[in-house]
Amino acid sequence: MKVDLRSDTVTKPTSEMKEFMFNAPVGDDVFEEDPTINELEKYAADLFGMEAALYCSSGTQTNQIAINVHCKPGDELICSKEAHIYKYEGGGIAKNSGTSVKLLDGDRGRITAQNVELSINDPENVHYPLTSLVCLEDTMNRGGGAIYDIKEIQSIRSLCDKHGLPLHLDGARVFNALVETGIDYKSYAQNFDSISICLSKGLGAPVGSVLIGSRSFIKKARRVRKVLGGGMRQAGIIAAGGLYALKNNIERLKDDHENARKLAQTLSEQPWIKDIMDVDTNIVVAQVEPSTSVDSIVNKLAEKDVHIMPFGKDTIRLVTHLDNSPEQINYAQEAIKNI
Ligand SMILES: *Cc1c(COP(=O)(O)O)cnc(C)c1O
């Protein structure tokens, strides 16, 4: 039995999703005439009580577009030193927007209002770059799927208001956070000026992310998407997978969280495991004992067709998703026990 726990990006569309995609009406999306994309954008914006949305090719693209709209060259944005926008987007902040970055420490990558406040530069002092954006990531990938405390988000929002700064959310896995906390989507979204959501992670669509914000923000974002070469034509055929995912696959993310807790429990019983981050959602990050090599664990599991990721020199990552059946999780638990 093959069990792929490397990432929640590995999911494949189900036959129901493919059927929905096959039947989706399409048009030229650069002309804003693709009915499926228009429906997806409206659906996503409405879900969060925001005005408008934009379908993009990837979460890197939605994040990079948001940064480009919010920031000018020479400005500075504030984010966690573990943030995806900084670590995993190929230096795009510098390359695409010429923007500087202030990196903050945080608890499992979650930054605090207090640290953000200390990092906002005095706009009257010409020595400093102009702070022009704060970015959060919820859930926090490098933090083992950690969920932000809503009170901290609200404090950061108040701070942004005080300093006239926009707040962007890299919400690649925001639904994992919201199904777990039960917080209302719209009241959560009120805290942000722009939100990026991924359709191709735990939601199980094959392609795409959606950027959500005000009408004027999305108008500017649409221009940047075109400049970055992301203006697609009859893309409703792929966007339909995302629409199907938003309508059908959100609540079931709880199953992934349950599966992740099971895997973490089994890992915690192994002598070669040193420490495991609390499992808030669908990501398990575990540190192996110094006497054990990450590669040997990864390889031994791979021999049993259980695939996980090295996540730093002494750390492994397992991510659960909708293609994991209960049998697969049992099988992976047995494989871990038999290393
Ligand atoms: C996956 C991910 C993204 C976007 O990645 P793409 O592969 O470009 O879609 C953005 N932020 C986080 C936290 C992610 O995990």
Side-chain angles (χ1 to χ4, degrees), residues 193-212:
D193 297 275
S194 52
I195 297 179
S196 159
I197 60 168
C198 282
L199 304 168
S200 61
K201 294 261 162 83
L203 292 182
V207 187
S209 286
V210 182
L211 184 59
I212 309 168

Side-chain angles (χ1 to χ4, degrees), residues 11-306:
T11 56
K12 297 190 181 131
T14 57
S15 47
E16 293 82 15
M17 184 183 278
K18 282 195 270 196
E19 183 74 20
F20 190 79
M21 294 168 74
F22 185 79
N23 291 314
V26 295
D28 190 326
D29 183 49
V30 175
F31 297 164
E32 299 180 43
E33 286 173 5
D34 187 299
T36 304
I37 292 187
N38 292 343
E39 188 186 342
L40 168 64
E41 291 174 347
K42 182 166 188 326
Y43 190 88
D46 287 350
L47 204 55
F48 288 98
M50 293 176 99
E51 285 176 354
L54 186 69
Y55 180 65
C56 296
S57 64
S58 70
T60 299
Q61 194 173 58
T62 42
N63 282 331
Q64 291 298 318
I65 290 172
I67 291 164
N68 196 266
V69 172
H70 290 305
C71 304
K72 291 192 299 300
D75 286 356
E76 187 163 85
L77 68 77
I78 297 172
C79 68
S80 160
K81 68 176 190 195
E82 303 287 2
H84 191 282
I85 57 163
Y86 170 70
K87 264 187 109 84
Y88 296 132
E89 299 189 5
I93 300 172
K95 182 156 181 162
N96 299 322
S97 300
T99 295
S100 173
V101 189
K102 178 95 92 208
L103 298 174
L104 303 188
D105 287 320
D107 167 37
R108 297 168 68 192
R110 293 166 297 191
I111 59 178
T112 62
Q114 198 181 10
N115 282 346
V116 171
E117 177 133 57
L118 293 170
S119 306
I120 298 171
N121 294 330
D122 173 5
E124 298 305 320
N125 187 324
V126 296
H127 295 86
Y128 302 135
L130 269 178
T131 305
S132 60
L133 178 65
V134 180
C135 293
L136 305 183
E137 184 178 312
D138 195 15
T139 67
M140 187 70 210
N141 174 27
R142 294 273 324 162
I147 301 175
Y148 261 92
D149 180 347
I150 188 69
K151 295 205 184 70
E152 200 65 49
I153 295 177
Q154 287 161 345
S155 303
I156 294 172
R157 173 73 261 172
S158 307
L159 195 63
C160 287
D161 286 340
K162 186 170 136 198
H163 292 271
L165 295 173
L167 183 59
H168 172 70
L169 175 72
D170 178 354
R173 296 189 182 82
V174 70
F175 294 110
N176 294 89
L178 293 173
V179 300
E180 201 59 33
T181 61
I183 292 169
D184 168 66
Y185 297 179
K186 295 188 174 79
S187 52
Y188 177 89
Q190 274 174 7
N191 295 296
F192 299 98
D193 297 275
S194 52
I195 297 179
S196 159
I197 60 168
C198 282
L199 304 168
S200 61
K201 294 261 162 83
L203 292 182
V207 187
S209 286
V210 182
L211 184 59
I212 309 168
S214 68
R215 213 166 279 117
S216 67
F217 171 83
I218 292 297
K219 189 170 178 211
K220 291 178 198 157
R222 194 175 287 282
R223 168 171 282 277
V224 177
R225 185 186 68 172
K226 190 79 181 81
V227 173
L228 294 177
M232 297 184 282
R233 302 296 175 171
Q234 286 73 24
I237 189 123
I238 49 172
L243 184 57
Y244 182 91
L246 285 181
K247 289 183 174 173
N248 294 283
N249 291 347
I250 296 179
E251 279 304 314
R252 63 148 307 287
L253 290 169
K254 284 184 184 152
D255 302 343
D256 301 342
H257 303 171
E258 192 52 43
N259 286 337
R261 281 189 276 267
K262 284 184 187 163
L263 292 170
Q265 178 60 37
T266 304
L267 281 170
S268 71
E269 291 158 6
Q270 307 314 311
W272 42 272
I273 288 289
K274 181 155 186 259
D275 197 18
I276 303 191
M277 279 187 196
D278 287 342
V279 176
D280 290 0
T281 52
N282 69 326
I283 302 179
V284 182
V285 172
Q287 202 184 1
V288 301
E289 287 288 352
S291 54
T292 309
S293 91
V294 163
D295 285 347
S296 76
I297 297 295
V298 171
N299 293 338
K300 279 182 189 158
L301 286 174
E303 279 166 23
K304 293 173 185 160
D305 225 3
V306 174

